Amino acid sequence: MFPADPITAVTHPDPYPYYRHLAATRAFHWDTTLGLWVAAGPDAVAEVLRHPACRVRPPGQPVPPGLLNTAAGALFGRLVRMNDGPAHAHLKGLLAAWLDAVDLFAARRHALALTSRLPYDAPWAGDSVDAWMRTVPVLTVGKLLGLPVDTSLDDDSIAAQVATYAAAQSPLASGEATARGAHAAQALMNWAELPVPDDRPLSALRQAAATFGIAPEAVTANAVGLLVQTCEATAGLAGNTLLRLAREDGAASDIGVSEDEPLDHVSDKALDRIQAWVARVAREDPSLQNTRRFIAQDTTLCGAQVAAGDGVLVLLAAAGTMRPDVEGRPWTFGAGVHACPGHGLAQALASATVTSLLARGVRPAALARRFAYRPSVNARMPRFG
Ligand code: HEM
């Protein structure tokens, strides 16, 4: 049965026939129940993402009301992801240049090495898998930036704070989750403000930003922002890859990573094989299924008259059912000026996470017998514990 609407589709067992139907028959339409325009066809999705009147925040509301006057709101308001125009362009350019320069092979190895210090509880494999998926990519990005990461999995560890802050941004967050998010935001900002040695990328980013007159707090917020952008979407990509390996007969055993294999013995070929699965999953069962835009002034969009203040739900995953890529990347990474600059790193880190779990003896088929998608309006992210 089709999901009831494009929001419930995100966590539906198989939303893709529905998405394909929407993309083919209702490429751009008004959904009266959601009170939103919905872009589903690939041309419509690309047009919305590139249209100058389509902004990442509603007019006059740079920060969600629930986060106003909190540390979480201050952090949110500085993110390039959540700004348009010059405030976005300069800093995004610097972040994108750094991400482009990251050696993805080395990043995979960093991630693998880091897992040797993470606790893994075999009797509760599902819980450990969930913790690793959320932790390994985030800590690796922190380490690549030059931040002092610790590898504990305590509730106040960096990775846990990032997950708490990321969860607080969801419209499904309770009042309590929002309050915890504000606390986590403050802790993360304090941590990311610490001085780092001059030879670390974060230090170079701070210096380059200063030449554009960008405030140091904006760099700190966006360093934390990189960890937040990494957290749920990359965990979801790793989780959906584990599910995919479970569903394809023999796929997990053909990869050539055996249980209890020392991580420095895992070959680049095996990592590449897993990364090929990750790339397929990014196209066919993506972790980030939709994003939103808000109309800044009355205009024509995809042939329809839209009004200032209208919202648009942009179904990246629906566009992907008709055409595999946009601008040379899977649709899940977006397009236009806000396109994800971390797409290569995300796929490298998801591969390393899956690899390290297989080497710890995780069996995808066993995980897939017992999982549920986390409640979300945009992220398809399995939970195994
Ligand atoms: C599977 C993992 C990931 C997915 C699916 C993903 C997807 C996306 C999407 C769809 C956007 C654009 C949102 C929009 O236009 O409304 C975005 C933006 C962004 N992503 Fe990712 N992302 C992932 C991982 C990462 C990683 C690992 C990093 C960096 C370490 C990163 C950094 C960013 C940044 C900085 C932006 C804001 C760009 C801008 O607004 O100009 N992402 N991501």
Side-chain angles (χ1 to χ4, degrees), residues 80-81 88 92 229-230 233 291 293 332-333 337-338 340-341 346:
V80 294
R81 161 78 183 83
H88 161 259
K92 159 116 174 191
Q229 291 291 135
T230 300
T291 186
R293 288 293 184 270
T332 189
F333 295 109
V337 290
H338 285 279
C340 179

Side-chain angles (χ1 to χ4, degrees), residues 75-281:
L75 201 168
F76 185 100
R78 292 198 169 104
L79 297 177
V80 294
R81 161 78 183 83
M82 297 301 168
N83 281 281
D84 286 296
H88 161 259
H90 283 135
L91 199 41
K92 159 116 174 191
L94 295 176
L95 298 174
W98 172 64
L99 283 160
D100 275 350
V102 168
D103 176 340
L104 300 182
F105 287 95
R108 289 197 309 203
R109 291 286 164 190
H110 271 305
L112 287 186
L114 195 146
T115 63
S116 64
R117 282 180 282 140
L118 284 184
Y120 180 84
D121 193 357
W124 306 104
D127 289 338
S128 291
V129 173
D130 291 339
W132 281 38
M133 292 191 313
R134 277 190 341 201
T135 304
V136 176
V138 167
L139 293 186
T140 310
V141 173
K143 203 167 167 44
L144 291 170
L145 275 168
L147 282 161
V149 295
D150 71 68
T151 49
S152 73
L153 294 182
D154 303 341
D155 281 351
D156 62 351
S157 69
I158 290 304
Q161 306 271 25
V162 170
T164 303
Y165 174 70
Q169 292 193 21
S170 163
L172 304 178
S174 63
E176 196 200 327
T178 310
R180 275 191 273 121
H183 194 262
Q186 190 60 63
L188 289 166
M189 286 295 282
N190 294 346
W191 167 73
E193 253 162 27
L194 294 173
V196 296
D198 285 349
D199 59 349
R200 304 291 159 86
L202 182 56
S203 175
L205 272 174
R206 285 176 178 153
Q207 283 166 27
T211 64
F212 285 104
I214 298 168
E217 302 81 53
V219 182
T220 303
N222 280 282
V224 172
L226 289 179
L227 308 190
V228 175
Q229 291 291 135
T230 300
C231 181
E232 293 193 341
T234 315
L237 182 55
N240 293 338
T241 303
L242 286 167
L243 289 176
R244 184 62 184 263
L245 291 176
R247 286 171 189 150
E248 301 274 333
D249 253 0
S253 46
D254 288 350
I255 279 169
V257 176
S258 46
E259 194 173 325
D260 291 329
E261 178 153 351
L263 287 167
D264 47 0
H265 287 193
V266 173
S267 66
D268 279 330
K269 275 211 173 105
L271 275 160
D272 290 344
R273 277 197 285 274
I274 295 180
Q275 193 153 332
W277 280 105
V278 166
R280 215 166 139 184
V281 169

Side-chain angles (χ1 to χ4, degrees), residues 295-312:
I295 307 296
Q297 75 249 354
D298 296 359
T299 185
T300 304
L301 183 63
C302 304
Q305 271 310 116
V306 297
D310 285 355
V312 187

